Amino acid sequence: MFLLLLISVILNYAGAPEPSSIQVIHELNVFFKMELNVFVDFTDFFDYRETIIFPNRDTPKILINSKSGRTDLKLRGNFTERALIIVHLPQPQLDTSVSNLLPYLLDQLHELHIVFLSKEHPASWQEDVFTYCYQQGFINALLIHHQDLYSYMPYPAVQPIRLRSLSEYFNRDKVLANFRGLPIRTLRLDMPPRVFEYLNERNESVGSGYLYFAFKEFTERHNGTLVKIEQPQIAGTELYATIWKMILRKEVDMICYFKQTDWTVPSTVPLSIVPEKFIVPNARPISSYLYYSKPFQGDLWLVVAGTAFYGTLMLYVNSRRKVEIGECLLYSLSHLLFTCNQSITIKGWRDVVIHVILTIGGFMLTNLYLATLSSILTSGLYEPQYNTLEELTKSPYPSLHDSYYQIHMQKNCFLPEILRRKSMALDNYTLLKEYREGLNNSYIYILYEDRADMILMQQYLLKIPRFYKINQPVSHTLESFLTSKSLPFLGMASTFMRRLQEHGIFIKMKADSFRDLIQQGIFTLMRDNEPPAKAFDLEYYFFAFALWALGLSLSLLVFLVEMVKWRYYKKRTQGS
């Protein structure tokens, strides 16, 4: 009995990891402040519970068996950024079930630290394990065999290395920051001001755009090689689908394009939320012949009419001789226009009060009208602007997009139904770009704020802008770079982009992008090319001529009525 117990103890301790493995896992937990340990394929639970699993009782633990048939397991929760993955390798190679489990388990968490525990010496198969790790983006991998520690250098090619101590693993950040000429691939896009190209004086293609500047700076800072891949010559929704496939197949590393909120492709950590807004043509100027009616609104015109009626009635009632009411009306209007040249006969205090009221009212109303009219003639008058989406539904303009964003707009329940019906698709990107960047005022456009602001900056020299931006957002996107699946340096890229934004360097890059757009003639600073307005053009008097013609017509009508009335009374008198 004693012999059987001794053999069982020997087998248990012989199959268990070395005490150095326990110490390494403990140091990793302490140094990186781990909040979770995930044990994979520790099927012999009773063999490891005292040596590996239970010694560090402060850290929560999860046990996973790769041979359970579950390949949809994923780590989720706030603790996942500080999780240590410990994989047991009972065989001298990486099991297929483990290689299939880890990419799903660490989806979007591929930069977590992974520890492989092996009983067999890894000299013949460690390169295969580390190659697999690099392909899946597991940049922080550590292989432990008894007291030996192994890791790998990913750039420019996978190279296994033996570590003399665990401190070398802790200090790998500076080594991993040097890409050693690693090619970093991106797509050639024409999407100013984010990314675009132009030919310099030596007929060389030069990249520009503030996202391109940031990507190029990241590549140069980490000693990488920037490689440009041609964009697929496809239009419409198929272009976006093709780019997504390229990302998932890892045919491109980073793309200078923002991530939509409903896209499931990987990206860097978002820096901010970029709203999507409408840009619409500026209000059209009203016809100049209407200027004479615009100084007063309806309430002031009622005051003018009420004052004229009051003066007419008081003058007629207070007259001591038979006076035509039309004469009183003309006298009241001449007071209001402050052009009274008639002799004033005052026969009592009532006459004084009436004339004082008409004089003061005429002085105030006439000067207010003239001052407002002078201001209007100087600055001009325009139709009401559309400041909200509800007001925009009353505009006659359709919205112009490519087919993908038109579908995206049709699904946007936040937009009024009228705006969704008035959207149009144009898959000719060259023509759409010309209309949008040239500010063709036959349409309205929907753009993310960074592109809208840059396009509207072409109006910097205009006295009156041709387009303006509605501040009410339609939707939003995330300011981040699209990346390939399981990009090994995703964390470094996110940190670098965040520092560019925090230090205001993105603002300088946007200014440089606009300067390049102007210098290369891609954008133009628009100028006022219309002839100068004439303050006293004949068109300004059309309203006055219309009033004069209306007055003549009314006077002619009254004259005819009086003639008919006079003849009627004359015949009646002769008949009697």
Side-chain angles (χ1 to χ4, degrees), residues 57-76:
R57 301 179 184 274
D58 297 332
T59 306
K61 300 167 181 63
I62 296 177
L63 298 178
I64 297 176
N65 184 5
S66 65
K67 297 179 177 58
S68 63
R70 295 289 303 275
T71 59
D72 57 346
L73 300 176
K74 294 183 180 180
L75 286 181
R76 291 291 182 265

Side-chain angles (χ1 to χ4, degrees), residues 343-517:
S343 59
I344 301 176
T345 303
I346 298 177
K347 296 182 179 180
W349 65 270
R350 292 185 180 87
D351 291 337
V352 174
V353 172
I354 293 171
H355 288 294
V356 168
I357 291 176
L358 290 177
T359 301
I360 295 176
F363 177 81
M364 294 174 59
L365 292 174
T366 302
N367 282 277
L368 177 61
Y369 179 88
L370 292 176
T372 308
L373 180 61
S374 299
S375 175
I376 290 174
L377 292 175
T378 302
S379 60
L381 280 182
Y382 298 86
E383 296 177 355
Q385 287 187 342
Y386 308 109
N387 297 317
T388 64
L389 296 179
E390 288 73 18
E391 295 176 357
L392 191 59
T393 58
K394 304 174 185 177
S395 72
Y397 307 107
S399 58
L400 196 62
H401 326 265
D402 62 10
S403 57
Y404 175 81
Y405 278 98
Q406 198 223 6
I407 296 174
H408 183 72
M409 185 177 180
Q410 294 288 343
K411 296 179 181 179
N412 190 348
C413 299
F414 178 76
L415 282 175
E417 179 64 26
I418 298 177
L419 290 179
R420 284 184 276 173
R421 289 201 307 265
K422 290 166 64 175
S423 62
M424 297 173 56
L426 180 62
D427 281 334
N428 187 339
Y429 181 73
T430 303
L431 189 59
L432 174 63
K433 183 171 177 287
E434 180 181 348
Y435 284 170
R436 188 163 52 196
E437 296 178 1
L439 297 179
N440 187 315
N441 58 8
S442 300
Y443 306 96
I444 59 177
Y445 310 97
I446 186 170
L447 293 166
Y448 291 110
E449 194 166 35
D450 63 323
R451 299 191 68 194
D453 290 343
M454 199 67 70
I455 290 176
L456 295 180
M457 281 183 66
Q458 298 178 94
Q459 308 176 114
Y460 183 75
L461 299 179
L462 293 181
K463 180 177 67 175
I464 300 171
R466 300 178 186 178
F467 270 72
Y468 68 98
K469 180 176 60 179
I470 293 181
N471 290 325
Q472 188 174 358
V474 176
S475 64
H476 61 273
T477 187
L478 302 177
E479 187 179 4
S480 59
F481 287 76
L482 299 180
T483 65
S484 65
K485 185 176 178 61
S486 303
L487 188 68
F489 47 85
L490 178 61
M492 285 187 285
S494 299
T495 302
F496 185 83
M497 300 307 168
R498 187 188 72 245
R499 289 175 178 173
L500 289 183
Q501 187 192 53
E502 291 175 349
H503 291 82
I505 300 177
F506 264 130
I507 300 175
K508 175 63 167 60
M509 289 180 174
K510 289 182 179 181
D512 293 342
S513 301
F514 185 71
R515 179 202 61 203
D516 291 342
L517 288 169

Side-chain angles (χ1 to χ4, degrees), residues 59-274:
T59 306
K61 300 167 181 63
I62 296 177
L63 298 178
I64 297 176
N65 184 5
S66 65
K67 297 179 177 58
S68 63
R70 295 289 303 275
T71 59
D72 57 346
L73 300 176
K74 294 183 180 180
L75 286 181
R76 291 291 182 265
N78 296 330
F79 54 80
T80 53
E81 292 185 358
R82 296 186 180 275
L84 179 64
I85 314 301
I86 305 158
V87 181
H88 180 224
L89 300 178
Q91 301 176 358
Q93 59 182 354
L94 191 64
D95 191 80
T96 305
S97 59
V98 177
S99 62
N100 293 334
L101 171 68
L102 289 180
Y104 291 96
L105 181 67
L106 304 181
D107 183 31
Q108 300 181 17
L109 298 170
H110 56 274
E111 293 184 271
L112 292 180
H113 294 271
I114 303 178
V115 177
F116 295 96
L117 300 181
S118 172
K119 297 179 180 179
E120 304 293 336
H121 196 280
S124 60
W125 49 271
Q126 62 176 336
E127 186 171 353
D128 296 335
V129 173
F130 289 135
T131 301
Y132 162 82
C133 290
Y134 179 73
Q135 292 173 349
Q136 301 301 328
F138 304 148
I139 197 70
N140 298 309
L142 181 64
L143 176 60
I144 302 177
H145 170 64
H146 298 311
Q147 297 181 354
D148 298 332
L149 304 177
Y150 300 89
S151 188
Y152 74 103
M153 294 294 297
Y155 314 121
V158 175
Q159 180 183 357
I161 57 174
R162 182 175 179 178
L163 305 178
R164 288 172 294 184
S165 63
L166 191 59
S167 60
E168 292 186 19
Y169 182 80
F170 293 151
N171 298 326
R172 289 172 73 241
D173 291 344
K174 294 182 179 179
V175 178
L176 295 178
N178 186 356
F179 293 164
R180 302 177 186 273
L182 177 73
I184 303 179
R185 301 159 298 175
T186 187
L187 277 182
R188 290 180 182 268
L189 297 177
D190 183 19
M191 194 169 295
R194 299 175 187 170
V195 55
F196 59 94
E197 292 186 358
Y198 62 87
L199 297 177
N200 60 11
E201 60 276 5
R202 294 188 297 272
N203 203 29
E204 298 173 345
S205 178
V206 179
S208 187
Y210 74 95
L211 290 186
Y212 176 82
F213 286 150
F215 172 70
K216 182 181 178 182
E217 182 68 20
F218 169 76
T219 304
E220 294 177 351
R221 183 68 60 88
H222 292 280
N223 193 21
T225 303
L226 194 153
V227 178
K228 298 180 182 179
I229 300 176
E230 293 295 334
Q231 175 182 330
Q233 299 301 317
I234 309 174
T237 56
E238 295 181 3
L239 174 62
Y240 295 92
T242 303
I243 293 177
W244 291 340
K245 292 178 182 178
M246 295 177 66
I247 290 174
L248 297 178
R249 291 196 299 257
K250 301 184 179 181
E251 297 176 4
V252 63
D253 296 316
M254 295 180 66
I255 301 179
C256 301
Y257 196 85
F258 290 163
K259 179 183 178 181
Q260 302 285 343
T261 53
D262 56 345
W263 290 358
T264 57
V265 294
S267 67
T268 58
V269 176
L271 302 176
S272 63
I273 296 177
V274 182

